[in-house]
Amino acid sequence: MPSQIPFGTIHVRNPRIQQLAKLLRRSVGSVSYKLANFARLDPALQARGIRGATHGAKGEEEIWREFAHDAESLAFESQRLMAERLGETVSEYAGIETRDLPKAGLEREAIVRLRVNQSFFRRRVLSAYNNRCCITGLSVPALLTASHIVPWASDTANRLNPRNGLCLNTLHDRAFDRGLLWVDEDFVVRIAAQLRGGHMGAFGDAQWFCEFDGQPLRLPKKFTPDPTLLRFHALAARRADRD
């Protein structure tokens, strides 16, 4: 929950904090303070000079470290517990599609876990970017996706790492995935020559890409993209563009 709520909104007037307090049967103030305790451990906030609450329990540090080392298991468990408190299935809580899955069995369980974690990753990334495409500024949630910089299947350690994510609209997400655009380590957007040169259709068709070539990325207040992961993606995209 603290990784999905911007630090500046961890206060008693936030409906999400109020809902969480009700589910936990705690006061809104105590829940808000506990989240601020967790915030003090966030390197992204520390880098901005934000310290959160100055004191906290030792257990908070242990939970933070455990989540950092086993995000996939704990992310799913946290969603399952929240769903249980709300009287929902974990699929309902995560808002994932299950009609195409087998009725029961290990295969269904594995796919549900995968989709729940992907939904968790999406919420973290979109929240970090305040539900705006980091290239175009588009702010229509239905048209936004949390795009992995290094693909889900290629790097298990960074599957749920929000610094391995960009909030993109669906069109630019597809182009990013296909190596038709990338982001340099200094957070500058680059468009493949195939698009800039009009080699993939009329130039006008690619205009909404080309106008962002050389423009700075709209950076989030937390979970700034990892330059090392951006470099990995950019090298592959540039190689494909030369070929």
Side-chain angles (χ1 to χ4, degrees):
M1 182 70 81
S3 68
Q4 300 176 59
I5 301 177
F7 178 76
T9 66
I10 299 178
H11 51 68
V12 296
R13 298 183 305 278
N14 187 328
R16 297 183 69 186
I17 304 296
Q18 295 170 2
Q19 179 198 41
L20 184 59
K22 184 177 180 179
L23 292 174
L24 296 175
R25 298 178 182 177
R26 299 290 183 88
S27 71
V28 179
S30 67
V31 171
S32 174
Y33 191 77
K34 175 61 72 174
L35 293 179
N37 282 350
F38 277 109
R40 71 189 168 87
L41 304 171
D42 190 335
L45 292 177
Q46 293 172 1
R48 293 168 52 202
I50 298 174
R51 302 301 176 190
T54 55
H55 300 288
K58 182 179 179 181
E60 293 160 2
E61 298 179 7
E62 294 175 355
I63 292 171
W64 187 274
R65 287 195 298 269
E66 187 177 357
F67 188 88
H69 287 92
D70 191 14
E72 287 195 62
S73 295
L74 293 187
F76 179 82
E77 183 63 11
S78 70
Q79 306 305 283
R80 187 192 66 77
L81 290 172
M82 282 293 291
E84 186 178 273
R85 293 268 184 171
L86 290 168
E88 301 175 348
T89 67
V90 68
S91 301
E92 290 169 337
Y93 177 74
I96 64 170
E97 180 59 67
T98 60
R99 288 177 296 181
D100 60 327
L101 299 184
K103 294 298 181 183
L106 294 178
E107 181 183 3
R108 179 186 176 90
E109 293 175 9
I111 298 175
V112 166
R113 180 180 290 270
L114 173 67
R115 291 183 181 178
V116 167
N117 281 344
Q118 288 174 333
S119 174
F120 177 79
F121 175 79
R122 182 181 189 277
R123 290 198 302 275
R124 293 184 89 188
V125 172
L126 266 61
S127 173
Y129 286 87
N130 199 27
N131 290 296
R132 285 188 176 274
C133 172
C134 62
I135 292 180
T136 67
L138 183 72
S139 59
V140 181
L143 298 178
L144 298 177
T145 186
S147 182
H148 279 84
I149 298 171
V150 178
W152 178 278
S154 301
D155 188 347
T156 57
N158 284 299
R159 282 179 172 176
L160 296 185
N161 178 4
R163 298 191 67 201
N164 187 32
L166 299 173
C167 179
L168 297 173
N169 70 78
T170 52
L171 179 61
H172 285 75
D173 166 66
R174 185 66 175 270
F176 185 83
D177 185 55
R178 296 298 181 89
L180 295 173
L181 72 84
W182 59 89
V183 179
D184 284 341
E185 297 170 58
D186 56 357
F187 309 120
V188 173
V189 179
R190 300 298 180 188
I191 304 299
Q194 300 175 68
L195 285 177
R196 287 186 285 105
H199 303 310
M200 301 186 71
F203 180 77
D205 295 340
Q207 190 59 43
W208 204 38
F209 291 104
C210 297
E211 65 181 283
F212 296 105
D213 189 33
Q215 295 298 309
L217 201 71
R218 298 166 182 258
L219 292 174
K221 290 185 177 180
K222 63 182 300 185
F223 301 143
T224 301
D226 187 326
T228 301
L229 301 177
L230 289 174
R231 186 189 312 124
F232 178 91
H233 176 271
L235 286 172
R238 286 195 185 97
R239 190 179 303 115
D241 194 35
R242 287 194 300 268
D243 296 341

